[in-house]
Amino acid sequence: MFATQVIASGLGTITGLIILEIFHNVGGYGYNPYGVCILAALYSLPLQYILYEKPRLFVFGLLALASCGSIIIHEIVFVNVIRIPFDSPALQTGKAFVALVTALGLVLVFQLFILRTPARRILRLAMGELVRSTLAYTTVHQAYVRAALPDDPKKAAPVAALRRVERELAQRENQIIRDMLGISGLIIAAAAEPSSVPWRPHIPHRLLQANGLLIDRLQEARIALGHNPFDPFIMENMIKTLWPYQRQAHLTAKISLYLSATSLLSKSPLPRDTVITDQYLQDFIEDAGIISSRLAATERGATAVKEDSFTRFWFFILCIGDIPRHLSQIESVCKEMFGTLEDDPKMK
């Protein structure tokens, strides 16, 4: 974007100089306004097309028109209309380029020596805030799960309370999606930023992908639970039995997201071995399958497994079973950016 602005300003200034020099002292005018208007109109045609048909190049077209019009209007007004001594087009163009070079020099000094890679820093902080927002969403989601699937069926929350929390979760999901779209724009700005460190665009893309899939799985788990109460038989004989696995899954997700957000915001490395493990989820799904088969062997259980409560709970299990994979992806991004705690020179 910055290079586009510089090129557009330079193009407009040089074009204005050429047009003025062509019609200097022509037809009894210091600068013939008729010829200047004709050439300026021809010059503006492709730029007008860019302004209206190419939104991504809008700034280029606007600056190219503005810089050309600025030098032409100054010369026409001061020389033809007011008739006072004024800088020649060449001198005015030279001053414009001196100002442009000075601005470029200041930008490079700040970019390379004073405030290095500001776009990448803003991107890193935005990624950290995104993970922290996901942590806040996950905390509310886990409270919703505990209310919808309590360890004691008598502690089930009222339907009105579940609906209110469900609306809050939906709002947070939309906000996280908007934050992810904003980070996509920061990735483009960071890629165009000059730096001695090679740009690795796959890192933020991997984090966005993992975070987006994590939100998708949690959203699907929320939809699976809904706000309708579960069958008391399923809650007593299946959900209550499997509750310790849910508690472990909640704890693991919160610790992982907290560590990842802290790592991104403070540029600190993560431990090589974290709390994420697939073993307890494998046990969770295996025990759920065993309990389901045992329930189906009884008369009351055979009826219960055909109802929607059983299907909803199994859909919930499958959704949260995919969460550790996405948490591991987020952690791997942090480790690739800042290394691991065991390899940190400060720890030696």
Side-chain angles (χ1 to χ4, degrees), residues 271-290:
R272 184 179 293 112
D273 300 321
T274 56
V275 296
I276 295 180
T277 175
D278 294 335
Q279 184 59 45
Y280 77 90
L281 279 173
Q282 294 176 4
D283 296 340
F284 186 12
I285 297 175
E286 182 179 349
D287 288 353
I290 294 174

Side-chain angles (χ1 to χ4, degrees), residues 284-324:
F284 186 12
I285 297 175
E286 182 179 349
D287 288 353
I290 294 174
I291 293 175
S292 299
S293 63
R294 290 176 179 175
L295 290 179
T298 64
E299 182 179 355
R300 176 67 180 87
T303 304
V305 297
K306 297 178 182 179
E307 298 177 353
D308 65 334
S309 294
F310 180 81
T311 306
R312 287 162 55 199
F313 184 64
W314 257 108
F315 185 32
F316 169 77
I317 293 175
L318 295 177
C319 290
I320 65 173
D322 197 35
I323 289 177

Side-chain angles (χ1 to χ4, degrees), residues 110-151:
F110 273 89
Q111 185 80 53
L112 299 177
F113 302 104
I114 299 177
L115 185 60
R116 296 181 294 179
T117 61
R120 299 188 186 184
R121 178 177 178 274
I122 294 173
L123 173 62
R124 174 181 59 81
L125 294 176
M127 291 164 57
E129 291 295 338
L130 174 66
V131 177
R132 189 161 66 175
S133 298
T134 304
L135 171 60
Y137 168 82
T138 303
T139 303
V140 179
H141 187 279
Q142 291 175 357
Y144 175 76
V145 172
R146 288 195 297 270
L149 300 176
D151 54 353

Side-chain angles (χ1 to χ4, degrees), residues 180-199:
M180 293 174 62
L181 293 176
I183 291 178
S184 299
L186 293 176
I187 294 175
I188 299 175
E193 188 174 57
S195 175
S196 58
V197 180
W199 171 240

Side-chain angles (χ1 to χ4, degrees), residues 204-263:
H205 284 300
R206 280 177 52 200
L207 186 135
L208 288 181
Q209 182 183 25
N211 196 85
L213 292 174
L214 175 62
I215 295 298
D216 286 344
R217 298 293 86 78
L218 292 173
Q219 182 184 36
E220 291 170 354
R222 172 179 65 81
I223 295 173
L225 294 181
H227 50 263
N228 294 324
F230 279 76
D231 183 359
F233 181 81
I234 294 294
M235 294 189 66
E236 181 66 31
N237 294 277
M238 189 172 184
I239 296 176
K240 183 178 180 180
T241 306
L242 298 173
W243 178 249
Y245 291 113
Q246 296 186 49
R247 185 185 299 111
Q248 179 65 30
H250 293 171
L251 179 64
T252 299
K254 286 196 291 188
I255 293 177
S256 175
L257 289 172
Y258 178 80
L259 291 176
S260 299
T262 303
S263 176

